[in-house]
Amino acid sequence: MTASASEPEDVAEPSVPSASKNPPRALADTVPGAGRGSDVPYDLVVLGAGSAGIAGAVTAAELGLTVALLDSSPQPGGQFYRHPAPALGAVRPEALHHDWSAFADLRRRLDAGAVDHLTGHHVWSVVKGTDGTWTAHALTGENGSTEGGTDGSADAPVRIRARALLLATGAYERQLPFPGWTLPGVVGAGGAQAMLKSGLVLPGRTVVVAGSGPLLLAVASSLASAGARVPAVIEAAGYLRYGRTPRALLANPRKAVEALVHTAALARHRVPVRFRSAVTEVHGTDRVEAVTVSRLDREWRPVRGTGRRIACDALAVGHGLVPQIELAVAVGCTTRALPDGTLGLALDDLQESSVRGLWAAGETGGVGGAELARVEGELAGRAIAARLLGRPAAGAAAAALRRRRDRMRAFADVMSAAHAPGAGWTGWLTDDTDVCRCEEVTAGRVRATVAECGARDARTVKLLTRAGMGWCQGRMCGTAVACLAAAGATPEPQAERRPFAVPVPLSTLAALDGPEDPEPASAVGGSTDPVPS
Amino acid sequence: MARTPIGLVGARPDPPFEITFDGRPVPALPGQTLAAALWGAGILAWRTTRDGGRPRGAFCGIGQCYDCLATVNGEPNRRACLVPARPGDAITTQEGHGHDRLGV
């Protein structure tokens, strides 16, 4: 029996009434602008349709809750299970995936239809009302369609209301700058993987994979399987740190199997993996032509004279993942420092945050992978259903889920510690290296601000240089700026404080004439607030 | 036969259509984003930066970094890695913030 299947004793009786009236299933049936004053909240809104979000949504729906699952993408799966659009006609999407059957199971349960899966919804803020009801504000296409609005630019604002909120917004990739990293052809390791998984394209013919973390092995094996030549995988850490915690390794054999699968694929494609090394320079004028790889000491400082040039036309680079938690931080959820210097949400034993009524699952509590995300999503779904239906949350199934979660969390902490950037990485920056890609702020300017103006944290550096003030709101440069500002001391983790999770048109904000009472932004901008059918 | 992403997943896509990049035709497969179609044509940059005028294209691939902003059918600042390609879409290299016509 699969772990994600519901144990019989926990299946809601069909006679249990749903905690609220069923909202309409088809968005096309909603009346534009009719939401005000007549909307029935969902029991649960889940943000993010990756492994954690789908698991939470289907679990809660199967237990009798009305659930909306919001996601910016047109398809479910999140980043890990990103896959080609149907029109691409992929017969074997699983060829680009590890553990595809787990996703197939989640998708089957999602397709059973009990969850309202709202695609193309870019949630920019969540608000808790005085009565405890949550409102998720999202940008989307007209009437909830994704037509022309998949990047949230269609300016049709919608509000989705719910009695409980599950944050399953996943993570984004951590970057550490180096000379030449803004050249076309340098892409995120996760970015290369995402473009391959959904668009079936490669960034180049010869792709070096570099950075730190197990994701690099998966990316390199995908790229090689898809026909790219991968001259090397360049890993900044040693994998020896994993050996210090044999218990966590032995308790998570599936992780070892996953690593072996990728390692075997790399061996088959003759891709060498080089440890304690980093790409310290990219060569080229308008696009990547080669990279220089240097050995690193224990502190990640490049060792002089060890640079070796590798010809390539693309570089896929990344240093692990950063939990995407700004929506929760904005409503005051407590965070916890993770071993790699990022922040995750502090959650209780049943996945609830410090703000009552807001649960989180998956990478938002600390990066741990898709299997952990599924377990936490299911646990959160059960806990939310128990809360809203007035039942005890404990039970044999919940206890088993908690044990699995704790076992995988222990491994996640080991992984996080093993790949935490060493303080010496800033040694590969030159003064003219752009640190902030959006605002083109160089390492030299940041260092001058620290040395001459007394800036000691990323926020002060931002105020003085604009680093972190651009479109991406510090997601790409946050780690680097914090390290430079700390000037050798332990950097403050990036606070992930962003009032708007995505850029919002001023017209949308102007249309909000009160916390509970927004007008439609335009004549055609329909509301997808659920209305009684 | 050479290994390709399409071969790997056994894709049998619907017939390709044409979009344009700075006036030149680029083939796109139904279901691809604008960024994927451009990568497929070997194009990695479709924007120049505000200060340095440096070329940029897709970096994070998931809509978080905003490096892939492009002018699409005359509308600036569209994230090419998220926007699905549609027949006849005209992508033009976006210079700076893309609002020069406003004189700001």
Side-chain angles (χ1 to χ4, degrees), chain A residues 50 56 64 85 89 106 135 143 180 187 191 211 307 351 355 416 424 431 440 464 466 473 513 516:
Chain A
L106 286 176
T135 301
N143 291 331
V187 299
Q351 303 297 128
V355 173
S416 179
D431 272 352
E440 297 171 272
L464 293 168
R466 297 189 61 85
Q473 289 292 287
D513 56 0
E516 297 289 333

Coordinates of all heavy atoms in Angstrom, one line a residue, chain A residues 50 56 64 85 89 106 135 143 180 187 191 211 307 351 355 416 424 431 440 464 466 473 513 516:
Chain A
G50 N 2.6 22.1 -6.4 CA 3.6 21.1 -6.5 C 3.3 19.9 -5.6 O 2.1 19.7 -5.3
G56 N -1.6 18.1 -0.1 CA -2.5 18.8 0.9 C -3.9 19.0 0.4 O -4.9 18.7 1.1
G64 N -13.4 15.7 2.9 CA -14.7 16.4 2.9 C -14.6 17.9 2.9 O -15.7 18.6 2.9
A85 N 3.7 20.8 -21.9 CA 2.3 21.1 -22.2 C 1.8 20.0 -23.1 O 2.5 19.4 -23.9 CB 2.1 22.4 -22.8
G89 N 2.9 16.8 -26.9 CA 2.7 15.4 -27.2 C 3.8 14.5 -26.6 O 4.2 13.5 -27.3
L106 N -0.7 11.5 -7.5 CA -1.3 12.8 -7.0 C -2.2 13.4 -8.1 O -3.3 13.9 -7.8 CB -0.2 13.7 -6.7 CG 0.6 13.5 -5.4 CD1 1.7 14.5 -5.3 CD2 -0.3 13.6 -4.2
T135 N -8.0 35.9 2.8 CA -8.2 36.3 1.4 C -6.9 36.2 0.7 O -5.9 36.8 1.2 CB -8.7 37.7 1.4 OG1 -9.9 37.8 2.1 CG2 -9.0 38.1 -0.1
N143 N -11.4 36.5 -16.2 CA -12.3 35.4 -15.6 C -11.5 34.2 -15.3 O -12.0 33.1 -15.5 CB -13.4 35.1 -16.7 CG -14.4 36.2 -16.8 OD1 -14.5 37.0 -15.8 ND2 -14.9 36.4 -18.0
G180 N 31.4 37.1 -14.9 CA 30.9 36.6 -16.1 C 29.5 35.9 -16.0 O 29.0 35.5 -17.0
V187 N 23.0 30.0 -17.1 CA 21.6 29.9 -16.6 C 21.6 29.2 -15.3 O 22.6 28.5 -14.9 CB 20.7 29.1 -17.6 CG1 20.7 29.8 -18.9 CG2 21.2 27.7 -17.8
G191 N 17.1 26.3 -13.6 CA 16.5 27.0 -14.7 C 16.7 26.1 -16.0 O 15.8 25.9 -16.8
G211 N 28.2 24.6 -9.1 CA 27.5 25.1 -7.9 C 27.6 24.2 -6.8 O 28.7 23.6 -6.5
G307 N 43.5 27.1 -11.7 CA 42.5 27.4 -12.7 C 42.7 26.5 -14.0 O 43.8 26.4 -14.5
Q351 N 2.3 20.9 11.1 CA 2.6 21.8 10.0 C 2.0 23.2 10.1 O 2.0 23.9 9.1 CB 2.2 21.1 8.7 CG 2.8 19.8 8.4 CD 4.3 19.9 8.2 OE1 5.0 19.1 8.8 NE2 4.8 20.8 7.4
V355 N 1.1 31.6 13.0 CA -0.1 32.4 12.7 C -1.3 31.4 12.6 O -1.2 30.5 11.7 CB 0.0 33.3 11.5 CG1 -1.4 33.9 11.2 CG2 1.0 34.4 11.7
S416 N 21.5 20.3 3.9 CA 21.6 21.7 4.0 C 23.0 22.1 4.6 O 23.6 23.0 4.1 CB 20.5 22.3 4.9 OG 20.6 23.7 5.1
G424 N 34.7 31.7 2.2 CA 35.7 32.2 1.3 C 35.2 32.4 -0.1 O 36.0 32.8 -1.0
D431 N 36.1 43.3 -8.4 CA 35.4 44.5 -8.1 C 34.3 44.8 -9.1 O 33.3 45.4 -8.8 CB 36.3 45.7 -7.9 CG 36.8 45.7 -6.4 OD1 36.2 45.0 -5.6 OD2 37.7 46.6 -6.1
E440 N 22.4 46.1 -11.7 CA 23.8 46.1 -12.1 C 24.6 46.8 -11.1 O 25.4 47.8 -11.4 CB 23.8 46.9 -13.5 CG 23.1 46.1 -14.6 CD 23.0 46.9 -15.9 OE1 22.1 47.6 -16.1 OE2 23.9 46.7 -16.7
L464 N 21.6 52.1 0.0 CA 22.7 52.9 -0.5 C 23.1 52.6 -1.9 O 23.7 53.4 -2.6 CB 23.9 52.8 0.4 CG 23.7 53.3 1.8 CD1 24.8 52.9 2.8 CD2 23.7 54.9 1.8
R466 N 21.0 50.3 -4.3 CA 19.9 49.7 -5.0 C 20.1 48.2 -5.2 O 19.2 47.6 -5.9 CB 19.7 50.4 -6.4 CG 19.3 51.8 -6.3 CD 18.9 52.3 -7.7 NE 17.7 51.6 -8.3 CZ 16.5 51.9 -8.0 NH1 16.1 52.9 -7.2 NH2 15.5 51.2 -8.6
Q473 N 13.5 41.5 -6.6 CA 13.3 41.8 -5.2 C 14.4 41.1 -4.3 O 14.1 40.6 -3.3 CB 11.9 41.5 -4.7 CG 10.9 42.5 -5.2 CD 11.1 43.9 -4.6 OE1 10.8 44.1 -3.4 NE2 11.7 44.8 -5.4
D513 N -10.5 49.3 -2.8 CA -10.9 50.5 -2.0 C -11.2 50.1 -0.6 O -11.8 50.9 0.2 CB -12.2 51.0 -2.7 CG -13.3 50.0 -2.8 OD1 -13.1 48.9 -2.4 OD2 -14.4 50.4 -3.3
E516 N -11.8 44.7 2.6 CA -12.7 43.6 2.3 C -13.6 43.9 1.1 O -14.5 43.2 0.7 CB -13.7 43.5 3.5 CG -13.1 43.1 4.8 CD -12.6 41.7 4.8 OE1 -13.2 40.9 4.1 OE2 -11.6 41.4 5.5

